[in-house]
Amino acid sequence: MKKMEKTEKKVKRIGVLTSGGDAPGMNAAVRAVARTALANGIECIGIRRGWQGLINCDFVQLTRASVGHLLSRGGTVLYTARSEEFMTKEGRLKAVSTCKMLGLDGIVAIGGDGTFRGALELSRLGVPVVGVPATIDNDVGCTNYTIGFDSACNTAIECIDKLRDTMQSHERCSVVEVMGRNAGFLALYVGTAVGATAVLVPEHAEDFEKNVIERIRGAKLAGYTHFMVVVAEGAGHATDVGKRIQEALGIKPTITVIGHIQRGGAPTGRDRETATRMGYHAVMSFLEGRGDCVIGTQEGGIVEIPIEEALTMKKHLQMDRYKIMEIMQFGGHES
Ligand code: F6P
């Protein structure tokens, strides 16, 4: 684990919040933070509604019992929000006042990059913060994995498997849009797992003719009678992709936007287990006198990265996996 400078201040009470888009496994992380804190004699306060809740002093005392039965629950019992007010200096100063009022020695902030940008600003005002990455997009640069990704992928896969049944029966083409914000991690993973004819991701969306039209045409020539195109929301809207397919090939695809369904549901085992380990390490970071970092997984192990550095780190879509996805269908392209 990356070593950070130690501070000597004794930690007596910490806050935990969830912020940004919810992700399956956030509750498991809250439970892990609370139980690790309590097991070490530290009080744990749940801050409701993310950074906005910190501004409004909106909190709930967490106990071992009150975080019971949370492992398998989707969403976040602490609620979440995207706070405009926290973007302002005045808002952040109000949040600092809440920390003083409640006697918080630090905050565990569970969310994505937006949450960690807020965390950095708060830590600059003297409140130690540890970030725990949770977003279905898996687009946080400092960690291989973000809580919620596996659950969201499995939800999308389940939806597309169902869709395939009817596409196959009617010999249709289907365009399915999945989430992911500006990243294609979710689309590529899902597209590979459902055996999509084509996957359109923002990182590789430049040649529509080659990446989509030619692939449907190739599948048709190879004898396929139904086609599944998975589009990452960051690569364009499913309706536009459908129109372009219709113009080029004369077939009218069905359009499905899976949308927020991907954010709900019980977390998978992977998300529960990862959230538990990350939540544990977040509290240990405070306890061992560090803080002001983001917890991540790298090569399977847990790491701590200083927040400022974490926010500069980039994670690229695995183009080797994209290639594998292409080859699985009917040999990929000559490049
Ligand atoms: O970051 C998670 C995410 O679900 C993205 O995939 C998506 O672009 C965005 O949040 C949707 O945000 P909202 O819930 O505000 O519509």
Side-chain angles (χ1 to χ4, degrees):
M1 183 177 297
K2 188 158 183 163
K3 282 277 167 244
M4 294 180 62
E5 211 180 304
K6 283 193 171 198
T7 59
E8 294 308 320
K9 191 166 185 284
K10 172 121 178 59
V11 180
K12 293 197 198 111
R13 189 178 298 119
I14 59 168
V16 57
L17 59 81
T18 52
S19 166
D22 63 351
M26 276 184 162
N27 281 329
V30 169
R31 170 184 177 271
V33 168
R35 290 204 168 162
T36 307
L38 293 163
N40 286 284
I42 301 171
E43 267 186 74
C44 189
I45 307 288
I47 307 295
R48 293 187 293 208
R49 304 179 176 87
W51 296 124
Q52 191 60 43
L54 199 60
I55 291 170
N56 297 343
C57 200
D58 181 1
F59 70 94
V60 57
Q61 184 92 32
L62 299 179
T63 63
R64 280 192 71 80
S66 73
V67 295
H69 307 293
L70 283 191
L71 263 183
S72 59
R73 264 179 81 175
T76 163
V77 289
L78 291 180
Y79 304 97
T80 182
R82 303 185 203 274
S83 172
E84 294 284 326
E85 198 178 352
F86 195 76
M87 310 271 201
T88 66
K89 182 86 191 274
E90 295 71 38
R92 292 195 291 273
L93 289 174
K94 284 189 203 165
V96 173
S97 298
T98 302
C99 293
K100 284 186 184 152
M101 165 68 85
L102 297 178
L104 300 180
D105 298 311
I107 300 277
V108 177
I110 303 167
D113 268 344
T115 304
F116 304 149
R117 273 191 289 278
L120 178 62
E121 294 303 329
L122 196 65
S123 78
R124 283 180 175 151
L125 294 172
V127 179
V129 188
V130 174
V132 170
T135 161
I136 65 162
D137 305 334
N138 199 21
D139 61 349
V140 175
C142 69
T143 181
N144 286 339
Y145 188 75
T146 60
I147 297 162
F149 178 70
D150 190 53
S151 306
C153 285
N154 278 294
T155 299
I157 290 165
E158 196 186 328
C159 292
I160 296 173
D161 283 348
K162 287 180 177 156
L163 191 58
R164 183 183 286 286
D165 290 344
T166 171
M167 291 304 108
Q168 183 268 326
S169 308
H170 286 264
E171 300 177 285
R172 280 176 168 157
C173 176
S174 194
V175 177
V176 188
E177 184 179 312
V178 297
M179 279 188 165
R181 202 176 288 276
N182 301 316
F185 297 105
L186 207 140
L188 178 56
Y189 189 105
V190 168
T192 303
V194 300
T197 314
V199 179
L200 202 58
V201 290
E203 297 85 348
H204 189 51
E206 63 287 348
D207 193 343
F208 192 82
E209 179 68 25
K210 178 178 148 194
N211 292 325
V212 179
I213 303 302
E214 268 311 309
R215 290 187 62 79
I216 298 173
R217 196 174 275 137
K220 179 79 182 165
L221 290 170
Y224 289 77
T225 60
H226 72 281
F227 317 101
M228 187 67 72
V229 178
V230 175
V231 183
E233 63 174 338
H237 291 301
T239 28
D240 298 334
V241 171
K243 275 186 201 139
R244 291 177 78 178
I245 291 172
Q246 188 171 4
E247 276 161 24
L249 297 169
I251 52 171
K252 191 171 189 304
T254 65
I255 305 297
T256 307
V257 179
I258 304 181
H260 287 80
I261 288 173
Q262 289 156 104
R263 291 230 299 253
T268 59
R270 181 175 184 184
D271 282 327
R272 297 178 200 194
E273 195 270 347
T274 308
T276 302
R277 276 191 299 138
M278 284 184 169
Y280 166 84
H281 281 285
V283 177
M284 294 315 285
S285 178
F286 282 128
L287 207 71
E288 292 166 4
R290 296 185 300 276
D292 288 337
C293 63
V294 176
I295 303 294
T297 56
Q298 283 173 17
E299 286 146 25
I302 297 283
V303 289
E304 283 179 19
I305 300 104
I307 306 177
E308 199 159 359
E309 188 186 332
L311 286 169
T312 64
M313 291 170 81
K314 297 266 172 288
K315 184 162 71 181
H316 300 289
L317 190 74
Q318 311 90 333
M319 292 315 290
D320 53 331
R321 296 189 189 182
Y322 188 90
K323 180 102 191 145
I324 292 169
M325 175 279 297
E326 287 191 307
I327 287 171
M328 285 308 121
Q329 278 313 83
F330 48 99
H333 299 290
E334 301 289 326
S335 55

